[in-house]
Amino acid sequence: MMEATQAAQMAGQIVERVRRDRIWERLQELAQFGALSDGGVNRQALTTADMNARAQMVRWAHGLNLQVFTDAIANLFIRLEGEHADWPPILIGSHLDTQPNGGRFDGAYGVIAGLEVLNAIRDSEQRPLRSIEVVAWTNEEASRFAPGMMGSQAFTGRWALPEILAIRDASGVSVEHAVAQVLAADMGIPHRPLKRPVAACIEPHIEQGPLLEEAAMPVGIVTGIQGTLRYRVRVIGAAGHAGTVPRTARRDALMATIAMIQAVDALCEREQDSLYTTGMLEIMPNAPSVIPAETYFSIDVRQRDNTVLDRLRRAIPETLAAHAGRCAIDVREIVHAESIEFSESIREHLAGSADVLGIPSMPIFSSAGHDARHLNYLCPTGMLFVPCRAGISHSPDESANPEDLEAGTKVLAHAVWRLASH
Ligand SMILES: [Zn+2]
């Protein structure tokens, strides 16, 4: 076992080789894949743009003489082999896919920060005892294929691979087909099994909220992620003439939908101000003088307290049924993710690295979901946030300071080297 003091000394040498300009330039280069004219990025999972970003990651990896691997769900791994190749690795990374109108930092920062750590280690000509792997998880965002976080859930075994592969996008293309295309374009990158043992995992990410910027803190040590419930509801009524069908004879799907949305919102407000959103609503046939025959809408609920989340999970389907009136409803739960707390030892470890480097940090709770949620069930896991401008994300206006991105990467490099030293 390497002496702790010696490991800390070497960690300092690696941190010195973290380069702000390289992080920034790689982020801009990656943003070319799926670039939109307004400065945003549309790089949805398993599309050509996503494949091109992946190919760029592979070129950078090969340029540093690092190993590249993939798996049955097309997660991408870049590995710097340690002296003990058989020890489970330290995993760092995030995702390369974006929302249709996304930005340059969400997901990409975590992958580029990870690559920078490996680059800095290469530049220092040191070799860790334990291998370090950078990962880009497949389909975190759920914009093309829903639900998201497919790569991390397949890897940890939280979700069965055949079920994931059967999911289709809006045009009928299956995950299985899209993954096969990506793997075919890889040109011989070796495959490794899912559910490999991992020693620890750290996901760096932009905050996607305003707290770090308001506190002028370059780094947040994430304490946990709040729970999420998501549903898709189909409401089936009957079409009819807007001017001739009397009120008593109507089965208006939209009126029933409005009643259901208001009732569930009121329920969520009563339950400790749980956040409720219906962000998607389709109306059929969507004609001005026809009574809506059918609607399809989403429900998204966020809550930190798992007891409250469980109560809501029981009450939401009942509330929907009680307010459907004369319409029939089909309620599908698509996400039930409990509120989680990250490993205390990883949190202390990250905070310790920030302290040693003189980089201010503060604990912060994540209101958004991340792949690290699923890794947390497999191995000691943590997250590190950096500020983003005005808390904006999932938008072309998403931005971050190069200085903060560098500070986050330095804390990551210091923490990861020490984790890889025993
Ligand atoms: Zn993300």
Side-chain angles (χ1 to χ4, degrees):
M1 184 179 272
M2 199 181 289
E3 293 269 343
T5 46
Q6 197 190 344
Q9 243 172 29
M10 274 196 195
Q13 291 171 23
I14 285 146
V15 167
E16 281 169 25
R17 286 168 173 83
V18 167
R19 277 180 39 199
R20 182 193 303 174
D21 54 340
R22 194 163 52 195
I23 299 167
W24 188 256
E25 280 157 24
R26 280 186 179 145
L27 279 167
Q28 305 317 316
E29 216 168 315
L30 215 49
Q32 298 308 305
F33 304 109
L36 298 168
S37 57
D38 59 4
V41 180
N42 177 8
R43 194 169 57 234
Q44 296 181 61
L46 307 171
T47 58
T48 305
D50 193 21
M51 284 160 71
N52 289 341
R54 175 186 179 90
Q56 179 60 62
M57 289 300 302
V58 172
R59 282 194 292 275
W60 280 325
H62 286 158
L64 291 166
N65 204 13
L66 297 163
Q67 303 170 358
V68 180
F69 297 96
T70 188
D71 60 22
I73 191 71
N75 292 318
L76 182 71
F77 299 90
I78 297 173
R79 175 178 166 100
L80 188 150
E81 191 141 291
E83 282 175 38
H84 300 273
D86 55 327
W87 290 6
I90 309 295
L91 212 51
I92 44 179
S94 191
H95 59 96
L96 291 174
D97 67 315
T98 73
Q99 290 287 326
N101 202 31
R104 291 169 291 158
F105 302 91
D106 177 354
Y109 172 61
V111 180
I112 294 299
L115 183 65
E116 181 60 24
V117 172
L118 300 192
N119 208 144
I121 294 172
R122 273 283 185 256
D123 289 349
S124 73
E125 294 175 4
Q126 305 283 359
R127 192 174 182 198
L129 289 183
R130 197 179 283 280
S131 303
I132 303 170
E133 296 184 9
V134 174
V135 60
W137 300 114
T138 294
N139 186 31
E140 192 273 345
E141 293 286 4
S143 49
R144 180 180 174 195
F145 297 102
M149 301 189 205
M150 280 179 175
S152 51
Q153 292 191 80
F155 182 81
T156 55
R158 302 256 309 151
W159 192 7
L161 184 64
E163 281 180 37
I164 298 175
L165 294 178
I167 287 172
R168 289 174 189 275
D169 69 8
S171 58
V173 177
S174 67
V175 172
E176 183 168 22
H177 180 80
V179 164
Q181 273 188 322
V182 171
L183 296 180
D186 273 348
M187 301 209 295
I189 293 175
H191 285 222
R192 290 186 306 181
L194 301 166
K195 291 186 254 182
R196 281 179 296 115
V198 174
C201 177
I202 299 174
E203 180 173 0
H205 207 280
I206 57 166
E207 180 198 338
Q208 302 182 274
L211 301 179
L212 291 174
E213 190 180 64
E214 278 167 18
M217 282 282 171
V219 169
I221 312 293
V222 184
T223 53
I225 299 183
Q226 74 177 341
T228 304
L229 287 173
R230 287 204 189 104
Y231 300 87
R232 292 285 188 277
V233 185
R234 189 171 294 284
V235 185
I236 299 133
H241 192 295
T244 61
V245 182
R247 279 179 177 273
T248 50
R250 290 187 181 213
R251 288 172 59 216
D252 185 325
L254 182 60
M255 288 303 178
T257 301
I258 291 167
M260 286 187 273
I261 289 174
Q262 285 184 328
V264 177
D265 182 41
L267 166 75
C268 290
E269 193 183 5
R270 284 197 303 277
E271 286 285 13
Q272 290 187 19
D273 264 335
S274 304
L275 295 174
Y276 170 89
T277 307
T278 288
M280 187 270 289
L281 168 62
E282 292 169 8
I283 304 169
M284 276 75 72
N286 205 20
S289 55
V290 180
I291 297 165
E294 209 175 306
T295 70
Y296 187 56
F297 69 99
S298 62
I299 291 177
D300 180 306
V301 177
R302 313 287 177 116
Q303 169 57 245
R304 275 180 85 145
D305 183 330
N306 281 326
T307 316
V308 177
L309 197 73
D310 285 347
R311 273 209 302 272
L312 284 169
R313 192 173 177 228
R314 283 191 299 275
I316 287 171
E318 291 168 9
T319 304
L320 290 169
H323 290 81
R326 276 175 288 180
C327 293
I329 55 169
D330 174 31
V331 181
R332 266 196 316 133
E333 180 187 276
I334 61 162
V335 173
H336 168 223
E338 60 177 2
S339 187
I340 59 136
E341 233 176 67
F342 285 123
S343 149
E344 210 176 319
S345 72
I346 296 287
R347 278 149 60 191
E348 282 172 5
H349 189 82
L350 286 167
S353 285
D355 285 350
V356 167
L357 298 171
I359 294 172
S361 73
M362 70 179 210
I364 185 168
F365 188 74
S366 177
S367 303
H370 297 285
D371 290 304
R373 151 192 290 292
H374 297 291
L375 273 294
N376 195 48
Y377 294 98
L378 182 76
C379 63
T381 297
M383 285 192 81
L384 185 155
F385 277 175
V386 293
C388 56
R389 193 179 62 200
I392 295 169
S393 71
H394 289 183
S395 157
D397 295 331
E398 193 177 283
S399 192
N401 287 326
E403 295 78 11
D404 295 333
L405 301 177
E406 179 193 19
T409 308
K410 283 184 164 174
V411 173
L412 180 71
H414 194 272
V416 164
W417 180 267
R418 289 190 298 133
L419 284 172
S421 298
H422 58 85

